[in-house]
Amino acid sequence: MNLEVIHIYHINDLHSHFEHWPRIQHFLAERRKWHRDAGEECFLFDIGDHADRSHPLTEATHGKGNVELLNEAGFHAVTIGNNEGITFPFDDLDHLYDQRQFDVLLANLFYKDGQRPGWLKDHAIYETKQGVKIGLTGLTANYTHLYDLLGWQTQDPFEALKEQVTLLKGKTDILILLSHLGIHDDERIGQEFPDIDVVIGGHTHHILHEGKMAENTLLTCAGKYGMYVGHIRLTVDTAGRIVEKKAWLYDTNDLPPIDDEEEKVNQLYNCGKDILSATVVSSQSNEISKEDLAILLCKAIQDWCQADCAFMNEGLILESLPSGKITKYDLLKLCPHPINPAVVELSGAELREVLVQTMDEKWKNLQIFGLGFRGKIMGKIVYSGIDVKKENDYYRFSIHGSFIDSEKIYKLAIPDMFTFGRFFPSIFRAKTKHYYLPEFLRHLLEWRLGETEKQTVH
C-alpha cells in the first residue's frame, strides 16, 4: 500500500517571547527542507497570541512586526488569539495582516454588519501532491462583550464549527481545527465532533508532550512563550484515510543556538524601543516611586471612568519613573500589561466587604499569573476616593468624607483583571460591569502625566 506522510509543525501563545525565535525559525526552515527532500508534505501553523503588546516591537509596530516574523518563517496559516483580538484597537486589528503571506483562518469573527474581513478566511483546503485534501478552520475564545466594545461581532465557536464541518466534510479527506479555545473546549470538540481529526490547541498554555486522544480526535498543544515546537505526523492511505496519528514536542532549550542569536533577539527589542522613543513628558523634575505612581494611576483610573472611588494593586507598576524626558518606552517598561480600566456597580454593603478583603496582608507578596498581568506579585492595594480608619479590629471606610451607606449603589473603578479573577467574589458576581476599551492602564498614566505637565507649564 502506498502511504503518504504529512508533517505539521505548530506553535501557540508565543506572547512576543522572542528569546528562542531565531532558533525556532532556523529549526523550521531545516525541517521544511528535510521533508521536501524526502518528498513529504510539511505545514506550519500558529494558533494565536503570537503578538503581545508588552514587547516593544509588538507595541511599536501595532503587531505588524510579528506578522513579518511569521512571513519570514514561512507559516502557511494562523488563527488569532485574544491578544490579537481584544488588545488591539479595531483599526489595528483590521490592518494587522495587510502584509501577510499566509492564511488567517477564523470562523467566528465578523464585522458588526455580519460580513467577514477581507484578510480573514473561515476555512481553507490544502491539497497534497498525492491528492489528499486537508480542510482547516480556526476558532478563537468568544469574549463577546469585549469584542463588541471594540467594534467586532463574534459567534459561538461551537455553532461556527458545526457550520464549517458541514461545509468541509464532503470536500476533504482530513479535518484540522486551529483552536484558540483552551483544553476544556478542545476536549469537548473531540467528544462532540467525530469528523474532526486533529485539534491543534492554545489559549490555556497546556503542554501535551505526545498529544491526547479525545475519542478519535488527536489533541495537541505546545505550552507557551516558544518553550516548545509541536510536531504532528499523519500517515494517510491511498483513499485519504488516516492510518496513524503521532504527536510530540521539541523543547526549544534543546535546539542548537544559531550564530548571533542574542544579537538578533536584541535587535527585535531595540527596533521597538527606538520607535517608542516619542516623548510623553518633556521634563519630569523628580523621580516618582512605584508607590507614588500607583497612587497617581489609581486616581487617573477613577477620573477616567468618572467613578465614585477606585483601587488597584501596586504590583501593576514594575518600575519607578525617572526624572527628565519620559517616553512611551518608559511607560511600557513600568506598566506593560494589556489591562483596561473597568467599573463595577456595588451596593455599599458589597463595597465594604470588598474593601475589608483588600486589607489582607496576603496581597503584598501574592504571586499571580494570567488575567493580562505581566508582573510577578500582586503588591499592596492603593486607593482613590476611599479613606480607611481602623478602630481596634474594625475598619471604617468612607467615600469622599462620608461613611459608606449599605443601601447606596457605588461605582468602583478597578483594573479589569479583578472582574475576571475570583479575588473578590462580590466583584466577580457583580451584575453591572463597564469596560473601557481600547485604553490600557499605561495610556491612562500617560494621560495623567500629560495633564500634570500642562498644569505645571501654565
Side-chain angles (χ1 to χ4, degrees), residues 126-144:
Y126 301 150
E127 187 169 351
T128 70
K129 297 181 185 69
Q130 295 188 25
V132 175
K133 293 180 179 178
I134 305 170
L136 291 104
T137 188
L139 296 171
T140 197
N142 192 25
Y143 294 105
T144 306

Side-chain angles (χ1 to χ4, degrees), residues 5 12 26 48 51 162 204 223 228 284 299 321 338 383 434 456:
V5 178
N12 60 275
H26 180 72
K162 287 178 185 176
T204 45
Y228 298 94
Q284 178 69 42
K299 175 61 174 170
L321 193 65
Y383 308 89
H434 304 279
T456 302

Side-chain angles (χ1 to χ4, degrees), residues 376-395:
K376 294 182 179 179
I377 61 170
M378 178 78 79
K380 73 177 184 180
I381 305 297
V382 298
Y383 308 89
S384 178
I386 300 170
D387 294 314
V388 185
K389 290 183 179 179
K390 187 175 182 181
E391 299 176 357
N392 298 320
D393 292 327
Y394 181 76
Y395 290 102

